[in-house]
Amino acid sequence: MKFRSVVQSIRAGDVIKGLSLGSGMLLALFAVLGLALLLGENAFEVARIIWLGAWGSSTAMGYSLYYATPLILTGLSVAWAMRVGLFNIGAEGQMTMGGIAMVALGILWKDLHPVLAWPLALLVGAVVGAIWAAVPAWFKVRRGTHEVLVCILMNFVAYGVGGYLILHVLRNPESQNPETLEIGSGFHWPPLSWVGGQSPLNATLLLAIVVIVVFAWLGARTRFGLHQRWVGGASEFAARSGISPQLHQVTAMLISGALAGIAGSSILLGYLHKAREGFAGGAGFIGIAVALLGGLRPWGVLAAAILFGGLQKGAIDLDLDTEKISRDLATVMQAMVVAAVAALPILNEFWSKRLDPSTTWGRRLHRYLDRIRQVGAP
Amino acid sequence: MMDWFIAYVESVMRLAAPLMFAAMGGLISERAGLANIALEGKLLVSAFFAAAVAAWTGSAELGLFAGILSGALSGWIFGASTVWLKADHIVMGTAFNLLVVGVIPTLGKAWFGSSGSTPALGSEARIQAGIGFFVAGVFLVFVLSEALRRTRWGLRVHSAGESPDALLVQGVNPRRVRIGAACVAGALAGAGGVVLSLVQGSGYVRDMAGGRGYLALAAIIFGAWKPFPTLIACLIFAAADSAQMLLQGKSIFDVSVPASLIQTLPFLATLAILALRRARVSAPRAINQAL
Amino acid sequence: MNPPIVAFQNVSKRYGNCVSLSQVSATFAPGQLHAILGENGAGKSTLMKVLFGLVRPDEGSISIQGSTRSWRSPADAIAAGLGMVQQHFTLVPSLSVIDNIMLGREGGWRLNRAAAIAELEAKLPDASLRMNWDRRVEELSVGEQQRVEILKLIARDSKIMVLDEPTAVLVPQEIEALFTLLKKLRDQGRSIFVITHKLSEVFRHCDTWTVLRLGQLVQQGEIRDTSLDVVVRAMMGGEPPPPIRLNPPRAEMKLSELLEVRSLTSGKIGRGALLDVSLKVHGGEIVGIAGVDGAGQSLLVDSLLGLHEFHGEILWMQQALRAGRRADWALMSEDRHRQALWIEESVQMNAGLGVEVQFCSFSNSKTRKTSFRTDLLSHFEVLDFERWGQDVARWLKEFDVRFPHLGERVSRLSGGNQQKLIFARELMGRDVRFVVAHQPTRGVDLGAIHQIHQRLVELRDRGVGVLLISSELDELMALSDRIIVLESGKVTAQFDRWSESSRQFDRAQIGRAMIGAT
């Protein structure tokens, strides 16, 4: 029944939106494979390596999901802020600082019981991430400085401060690598070997999915979520209805920072059990592509994160299996996805013109949708 | 003491040069209404191509030329794609920067077998300019400030950023003005990139811009989108940067300050300076508006 | 008879599903002042934008002086001697007057401002058009900015001038001056097109009239052999609605004072600031605020809503008003698309936003309407979208809003339907005691205007206080009990419909007060 009403509510505008996104993604894919071709690689071979590398075995799948876990959280972080009209490009820094705070707690309070350790670590990570995000929020509201600039500056500060904390304050003196001491075993999240085989996939994936569910509900069903989106979509209207856009923007930025702050949990609490320099590995930036590809909606973010996790895993195999290209091709793919989403207005215009009711295909589409509406599911 | 001071001033001038070129480029494109978060990417592209051409040909001049040309070309790519696709400038700029981060190592691996860097350049393929680029940069600020006020180009660039419709009804295509400004901006940022890889460095190293593109953007905001105040902001950032370099490995009051903390100095200085004034008041009115 | 200066042949233009122009054919004689008439959305602006090359027609062609032309951009039209003044001025506010006039025809890569000024002054038809060429445009009044726009066309020797709603922003005296200038330009041999919906000025000044309705050409004619009735009927497509009648207020209404503003000062000195403004609104009266655009109206509203800092006092029922909008106020904002609608969202969403507390799961709409909960918990209650849909469907029906389905994007609705939707939301979703109506009929068709006016008078008769801010003097004079004139942020005059003295409504006096001439 529910499915039927969903199908019935599809309108021409939704079809056009879907086509725009789909064609944009295809263009992005062609651009990347074209680049591979240009460099003298077989484009189909490249696509095959990526696909098998990502989903070819249960271990490969586990790795893909493991890479996806932080992306789910950073993607949601970026998406939530963007729906309120803020571009949080600082998720990388917030993730770094939040992650180090979680590890620091685990080192300082080694024998804490998991019942306390799990929520406490997440709380600390979230709070520190939110504090890091509060700086751009303050600049935005009080100084009118574009949040993107301040977020980027805060990223650089986070690299410096994070590096200092890892290399000097929390460093494991016995290790050759630039890494911290181990956290207490109470902070460890168990591996999910029944899904991921030999991969480092762990229970934080479930945490990330729960977070997605909570935020999907919060955004779609509650007044708070509605007000947040309202401020993003029509801030002057919201202000004139007695809602403070500034307050909502600050709240959104703090939420976004908190989500990014716990994004490192999969790497730090679930796998490494310590922090290494640069552990975030660009997840904050990939989160931008994830958020945009996911249409800024929580469920979309989940799907996009899994796709990009697979891309990241598959691209690693390019380092070994091809001569001329490397895992950096994944970054090119992400860039093209962001560009394609940025170009959605023009793609939308293109498809609207093609599917205008006055054209043959437009007439067919409308007739088909009308028929669906009358008889229910096709 | 005096020696130390002179060395410091000289180092500020050296470090200010790429920042100034990038900032002036960004200033032109922002004044034309094109928000230019892609400056960082342009610095990297031109630094890479300048080093690549210099490595192949062994000629510093060709490297300089390639750097500026690749900067202008990437400015055109960014400007044209943003304007014609009616995209959000910030999102498109982010895409551009990401693209550069992915493409350069890919090309590096294909051409030089190393995804991080280009081969080290001999002294004949580098530019020995001392503070020449700094002097050129100051001269550029003068020229730019005059050009914005007294030439047809300046009038049109200003109008494209403030009120593109006014250009349209006067028979001038504001899209073309914006794309043109993006090319000039790219070429100037390209000169900045050349300074990074051929003057200060000897070849391209991964992420060698190190956030200077963003610092340049901050300088524009602090300078209220005017050339001379922007120049001053660049000098302040360069001063913090070279203080950072001097302090590395030294100790202050017998406490040795770790390098990673010291490196945040220019960014903290930038944040402090941005906190001093309201930004939005003087921004071009039509910045980041689709045409 | 000369060949027509401009002729349209079967010009059509569609935007998505909306037909903006359909098969319009018309000819216009040279050297005349042509009035292009029609309601909002009739297609008159689009037709003129086609002429100027800002809009490309889907089919049809234009010919200028007998030869068929097609424009790729306004640049081509400009080269052919056309010029257009847009309804929203296209000036660069931060540039000087002369820079704005030079833009696009700078004559060389270096700017020679002195030469440009000399050239312009030689072309002026009238010495009174001179102004301080070095002043920045943002410092000028609306009337002066319009003059700069016309000077741009004179400097370019435009033979065909198009002015889109040039009188909408002017007071009666300025309108007279504008048409005097236009007639002078016409007598120099230019052909001038004026888009407007104000018929009185057309009949006083123009030579021909052309009426469009729903994208089609209805009728054309010469002013001197036409009566007003014919034109009105052509515009409306039927009989015009009867004029609104205001009953004298009942005596007991005067007692309830709702809003009092005491010496309100707000904003930076300059355009749009408020200086020492005092006014009162009682229950059961409509208080009109007259003034040219930018006389401080927006800041007055923003101050009432707590969106802008101010000095002075705002009292609600004799008590100091706490910052922020009260739930029992209805608000029709000036800029509908940005300030009163979430334009990318659905009709259903827009019809309930701001009053959506009553759709929370644990509430019944009766209690919610009178007491708006704002506690923290209410933000995390679940919204009942089903009830939301049912309730707003009822409201919209009550207010005669036409829409295809509740899920349609509100941007697809016509201006009149959008404004009626806002009225429905503000009046049905709240227990209203006070209404702020800022330009409630701007961009709205005549039928909807009539309904909106009726609603406002009904509210007044029910004892609600109404603050009506408008730049349409006719609207204010038809609806208001009292009119307060704002000029450069100060109250310069007050008028009372029901007073016996000389303070009764008088168009010329109000107009003079609006431009500060006493």
Side-chain angles (χ1 to χ4, degrees):
Chain A
M1 199 59 210
K2 183 108 194 263
F3 174 73
R4 189 166 153 177
S5 69
V6 167
V7 170
Q8 279 179 322
S9 72
I10 292 178
R11 311 212 176 268
D14 304 321
V15 175
I16 289 170
K17 254 191 224 163
L19 277 173
S20 308
L21 193 65
S23 56
M25 290 310 118
L26 267 182
L27 285 175
L29 189 66
F30 285 150
V32 173
L33 294 180
L35 178 70
L37 203 65
L38 213 66
L39 293 172
E41 289 287 344
N42 182 343
F44 291 105
E45 187 60 23
V46 168
R48 203 183 66 90
I49 291 169
I50 294 179
W51 179 259
L52 287 182
W55 309 110
S57 67
S58 92
T59 300
M61 197 174 89
Y63 265 103
S64 291
L65 291 174
Y66 168 71
Y67 284 123
T69 309
L71 298 185
I72 296 172
L73 291 166
T74 55
L76 185 62
S77 158
V78 176
W80 189 270
M82 209 175 271
R83 287 214 98 174
V84 192
L86 295 165
F87 193 177
N88 180 15
I89 199 169
E92 184 86 359
Q94 293 146 17
M95 180 177 167
T96 303
M97 295 313 290
I100 291 174
M102 290 193 286
V103 169
L105 183 77
I107 293 169
L108 294 175
W109 212 342
K110 262 198 149 64
D111 43 5
L112 203 60
H113 190 271
V115 173
L116 274 175
W118 286 19
L120 203 58
L122 293 178
L123 183 71
V124 165
V127 167
V128 171
I131 289 172
W132 218 250
V135 177
W138 180 86
F139 270 95
K140 173 89 177 175
V141 171
R142 289 279 150 183
R143 285 287 171 268
T145 321
H146 203 291
E147 70 277 4
V148 165
L149 183 61
V150 181
C151 279
I152 290 169
L153 295 174
M154 288 304 285
N155 281 345
F156 284 106
V157 177
Y159 294 146
V161 174
Y164 167 71
L165 291 172
I166 291 172
L167 295 176
H168 293 89
V169 181
L170 304 169
R171 175 151 200 177
N172 180 0
E174 274 136 45
S175 165
Q176 297 295 314
N177 298 322
E179 59 188 26
T180 64
L181 296 160
E182 291 247 349
I183 55 173
S185 59
F187 289 86
H188 296 193
W189 287 61
L192 283 185
S193 40
W194 48 279
V195 184
Q198 301 299 307
S199 72
L201 182 67
N202 55 70
T204 52
L205 174 68
L206 305 179
L207 168 77
I209 292 172
V210 169
V211 169
I212 288 283
V213 172
V214 168
F215 276 85
W217 174 80
L218 206 60
R221 306 288 303 179
T222 67
R223 244 184 116 210
F224 169 73
L226 179 66
H227 285 184
Q228 290 258 291
R229 287 189 286 129
W230 188 8
V231 166
S235 67
E236 278 194 55
F237 175 23
R240 278 159 185 270
S241 305
I243 286 170
S244 163
Q246 278 93 355
L247 190 65
H248 272 278
Q249 285 186 329
V250 171
T251 314
M253 204 64 191
L254 295 181
I255 289 175
S256 180
L259 287 169
I262 60 169
S265 54
S266 160
I267 304 165
L268 304 169
L269 308 181
Y271 176 50
L272 291 177
H273 308 311
K274 58 195 161 201
R276 284 196 186 125
E277 208 181 4
F279 67 86
F285 295 112
I286 304 170
I288 298 165
V290 169
L292 289 171
L293 182 61
L296 309 185
R297 282 166 179 78
W299 291 112
V301 163
L302 181 65
I306 291 172
L307 193 74
F308 272 29
L311 183 66
Q312 215 178 337
K313 165 67 179 70
I316 288 175
D317 291 2
L318 290 177
D319 278 354
L320 304 171
D321 295 351
T322 67
E323 298 253 309
K324 298 212 175 70
I325 49 182
S326 59
R327 64 178 75 179
D328 297 300
L329 204 68
T331 313
V332 179
M333 181 72 202
Q334 285 145 14
M336 294 315 292
V337 164
V338 175
V341 174
L344 275 184
I346 206 90
L347 288 169
N348 242 319
E349 213 171 278
F350 173 84
W351 286 111
S352 308
K353 226 173 252 171
R354 284 303 125 93
L355 293 176
D356 191 273
S358 68
T359 62
T360 325
W361 280 104
R363 249 196 321 277
R364 278 184 200 160
L365 173 71
H366 280 261
R367 214 182 307 142
Y368 185 65
L369 290 175
D370 281 343
R371 222 163 57 210
I372 290 175
R373 222 162 288 146
Q374 279 154 18
V375 300
Chain B
M1 187 65 199
M2 203 56 205
D3 288 353
W4 176 86
F5 184 72
I6 289 170
Y8 178 69
V9 169
E10 207 192 322
S11 136
V12 170
M13 287 179 180
R14 280 175 203 274
L15 291 177
L19 213 51
M20 281 157 57
F21 280 103
M24 289 307 131
L27 186 130
I28 290 170
S29 95
E30 296 237 331
R31 283 287 288 267
L34 189 71
N36 207 335
I37 195 114
L39 277 180
E40 179 86 357
K42 284 169 199 160
L43 279 177
L44 289 171
V45 165
S46 51
F48 175 76
F49 277 98
V53 169
W56 282 327
T57 63
S59 151
E61 288 76 23
L62 282 178
L64 175 72
F65 178 73
I68 292 176
L69 187 71
S70 61
L73 210 65
S74 56
W76 181 81
I77 292 173
F78 171 65
S81 59
T82 307
V83 169
W84 291 113
L85 298 179
K86 296 181 186 172
D88 185 281
H89 303 182
I90 305 274
V91 177
M92 210 52 166
T94 308
F96 184 85
N97 286 342
L98 263 178
L99 185 68
V100 170
V101 169
V103 164
I104 289 183
T106 307
L107 292 180
K109 191 181 178 191
W111 291 342
F112 304 107
S114 151
S115 64
S117 53
T118 60
L121 298 170
S123 61
E124 78 290 347
R126 294 182 56 204
I127 301 173
Q128 316 290 347
I131 59 165
F133 274 91
F134 173 78
V135 177
V138 173
F139 181 67
L140 172 71
V141 176
F142 273 96
V143 171
L144 192 62
S145 156
E146 282 300 295
L148 280 171
R149 262 183 295 164
R150 295 193 206 287
T151 67
R152 171 172 65 192
W153 175 80
L155 189 65
R156 291 183 175 186
V157 162
H158 181 86
S159 305
E162 291 282 325
S163 170
D165 284 346
L167 275 174
L168 194 66
V169 300
Q170 294 286 79
V172 182
N173 187 346
R175 294 176 154 201
R176 239 180 252 170
V177 176
R178 270 196 191 168
I179 295 173
C183 289
V184 178
L188 289 180
V194 172
V195 176
L196 288 179
S197 67
L198 297 188
V199 182
Q200 292 176 1
S202 56
Y204 176 84
V205 213
R206 196 164 197 151
D207 286 337
M208 81 180 309
R212 284 188 184 80
Y214 302 116
L215 291 184
L217 211 57
I220 296 166
I221 292 173
F222 179 73
W225 287 266
K226 294 191 184 80
F228 284 105
T230 303
L231 170 66
I232 295 189
C234 287
L235 291 177
I236 295 174
F237 297 161
D241 206 9
S242 70
Q244 175 258 120
M245 291 214 167
L246 278 178
L247 287 175
Q248 271 189 33
K250 297 228 171 76
S251 54
I252 310 166
F253 305 120
D254 293 335
V255 182
S256 79
V257 187
S260 42
L261 263 192
I262 284 280
Q263 275 163 10
T264 63
L265 202 60
F267 303 105
L268 289 174
T270 308
L271 283 170
I273 275 177
L274 286 176
L276 289 178
R277 64 198 285 175
R278 290 195 65 84
R280 265 305 146 89
V281 190
S282 41
R285 248 167 273 230
I287 197 161
N288 201 1
Q289 275 177 17
L291 297 175
Chain C
M1 180 124 178
N2 295 324
I5 183 89
V6 170
F8 295 95
Q9 289 110 23
N10 298 322
V11 171
S12 296
K13 178 73 193 174
R14 299 165 4 97
Y15 292 103
N17 287 331
C18 303
V19 176
S20 188
L21 288 175
S22 107
Q23 301 282 322
V24 173
S25 297
T27 58
F28 297 91
Q32 291 197 309
L33 198 48
H34 305 285
I36 310 294
L37 298 162
E39 289 199 55
N40 282 294
K44 39 192 206 308
S45 278
T46 313
L47 185 68
M48 288 297 119
K49 282 179 178 167
V50 167
L51 175 62
F52 188 58
L54 276 169
V55 170
R56 294 187 77 144
D58 296 331
E59 50 186 279
S61 63
I62 330 163
S63 54
I64 307 291
Q65 286 177 309
S67 60
T68 304
R69 311 295 293 268
S70 77
W71 318 129
R72 273 166 300 149
S73 75
D76 295 343
I78 289 168
L82 276 109
M84 184 167 179
V85 177
Q86 305 284 317
Q87 186 175 5
H88 301 286
F89 296 154
T90 50
L91 298 165
V92 186
S94 51
L95 288 180
S96 67
V97 173
I98 191 65
D99 282 359
N100 266 285
I101 292 171
M102 286 171 81
L103 189 63
R105 40 187 301 285
E106 298 86 349
W109 65 274
R110 277 197 61 168
L111 299 180
N112 189 343
R113 295 190 171 91
I117 291 171
E119 192 198 334
L120 174 66
E121 288 189 338
K123 283 180 187 167
L124 294 183
D126 191 336
S128 70
L129 281 172
R130 272 195 198 172
M131 49 205 299
N132 183 351
W133 307 118
D134 295 328
R135 274 186 80 187
R136 296 213 293 181
V137 163
E138 60 198 346
E139 296 162 2
L140 304 178
S141 74
V142 177
E144 287 170 315
Q145 292 187 2
Q146 186 175 59
R147 210 187 313 158
V148 177
E149 288 277 20
I150 295 173
L151 285 171
K152 274 160 66 175
L153 305 193
I154 294 175
R156 235 197 268 130
D157 298 316
S158 297
K159 295 280 171 288
I160 304 167
M161 294 184 172
V162 182
L163 290 90
D164 193 352
E165 297 277 3
T167 58
V169 292
L170 302 180
V171 303
Q173 287 83 353
E174 290 176 317
I175 294 177
E176 292 299 312
L178 171 71
F179 274 105
T180 313
L181 171 62
L182 291 182
K183 282 186 211 165
K184 210 171 273 173
L185 293 169
R186 173 197 65 189
D187 295 340
Q188 291 179 334
R190 300 173 213 253
S191 309
I192 298 169
F193 293 81
V194 176
I195 301 174
T196 181
H197 60 271
K198 292 183 185 166
L199 292 180
S200 57
E201 60 199 37
V202 170
F203 271 80
R204 259 205 312 283
H205 302 291
C206 295
D207 300 317
T208 78
W209 58 276
T210 303
V211 169
L212 289 160
R213 190 157 52 81
L214 303 174
Q216 286 177 318
L217 184 98
V218 179
Q219 214 174 340
Q220 274 191 297
E222 303 269 327
I223 291 288
R224 55 170 182 269
D225 26 80
T226 316
S227 76
L228 193 62
D229 271 2
V230 175
V231 181
V232 170
R233 239 174 265 132
M235 278 172 73
M236 295 283 302
E239 287 301 315
I244 300 264
R245 292 216 162 241
L246 219 55
N247 300 317
R250 280 169 290 167
E252 74 272 12
M253 288 289 188
K254 274 287 168 210
L255 295 174
S256 66
E257 181 184 307
L258 290 180
L259 182 84
E260 180 174 3
V261 173
R262 282 191 197 153
S263 53
L264 182 70
T265 300
S266 176
K268 270 193 247 161
I269 306 293
R271 282 196 66 202
L274 284 179
L275 254 174
D276 198 23
V277 169
S278 300
L279 58 89
K280 281 183 188 177
V281 181
H282 300 90
E285 68 169 352
I286 298 180
V287 176
I289 304 283
V292 296
D293 268 8
Q297 298 96 325
S298 305
L299 260 191
L300 177 63
V301 175
D302 284 2
S303 304
L304 289 179
L305 297 175
L307 295 175
H308 205 282
E309 292 163 7
F310 57 85
H311 300 287
E313 278 181 285
I314 299 179
L315 303 179
W316 174 252
M317 320 250 305
Q318 271 101 19
Q319 310 240 308
L321 181 72
R322 277 192 328 179
R325 174 186 178 180
R326 287 183 58 90
D328 55 1
W329 290 7
L331 172 68
M332 289 90 206
S333 290
E334 177 187 21
D335 184 345
R336 207 164 42 227
H337 286 191
R338 287 154 51 99
Q339 299 175 337
L341 294 172
W342 182 354
I343 204 73
E344 296 108 29
E345 267 294 344
S346 65
V347 168
Q348 169 173 346
M349 185 69 96
N350 275 283
L353 268 179
V355 295
E356 79 286 341
V357 196
Q358 55 195 290
F359 309 129
C360 284
S361 41
F362 303 108
S363 66
N364 71 61
S365 56
K366 248 181 210 151
T367 57
R368 274 305 161 81
K369 220 177 253 190
T370 46
S371 67
F372 274 77
R373 276 176 59 195
T374 51
D375 54 306
L376 195 63
L377 191 69
S378 74
H379 289 280
F380 294 96
E381 277 182 26
V382 178
L383 290 162
D384 182 348
F385 283 102
E386 205 161 308
R387 196 162 83 213
W388 182 323
Q390 286 162 0
D391 282 8
V392 299
R394 214 178 57 240
W395 301 349
L396 295 174
K397 189 153 180 253
E398 168 86 24
F399 275 71
D400 189 33
V401 183
R402 314 274 167 81
F403 58 95
H405 51 87
L406 280 173
E408 181 67 293
R409 272 164 57 140
V410 79
S411 58
R412 295 292 197 96
L413 268 52
S414 74
N417 277 315
Q418 287 175 349
Q419 192 68 322
K420 283 193 283 185
L421 177 145
I422 293 165
F423 265 73
R425 175 185 74 212
E426 298 292 319
L427 299 178
M428 298 295 288
R430 303 171 185 276
D431 213 10
V432 174
R433 304 177 66 178
F434 177 60
V435 177
V436 179
H438 196 177
Q439 300 285 12
T441 56
R442 183 177 275 180
V444 170
D445 54 285
L446 285 176
I449 288 178
H450 186 72
Q451 286 174 317
I452 287 167
H453 284 174
Q454 262 180 334
R455 289 279 173 193
L456 289 174
V457 173
E458 264 170 43
L459 284 166
R460 161 194 182 265
D461 292 342
R462 256 174 36 207
V464 173
V466 178
L467 188 66
L468 173 64
I469 304 170
S470 174
S471 54
E472 298 267 343
L473 206 44
D474 296 325
E475 174 169 86
L476 288 171
M477 291 182 58
L479 297 182
S480 310
D481 293 285
R482 291 188 289 129
I483 290 181
I484 295 171
V485 181
L486 272 185
E487 191 270 317
S488 304
K490 286 178 290 222
V491 174
T492 49
Q494 305 214 25
F495 300 88
D496 192 332
R497 179 192 292 273
W498 312 109
S499 90
E500 314 272 306
S501 68
S502 62
R503 300 275 67 180
Q504 275 181 321
F505 290 180
D506 175 276
R507 175 180 295 273
Q509 269 190 26
I510 298 175
R512 271 198 294 280
M514 281 163 75
I515 52 173
T518 41

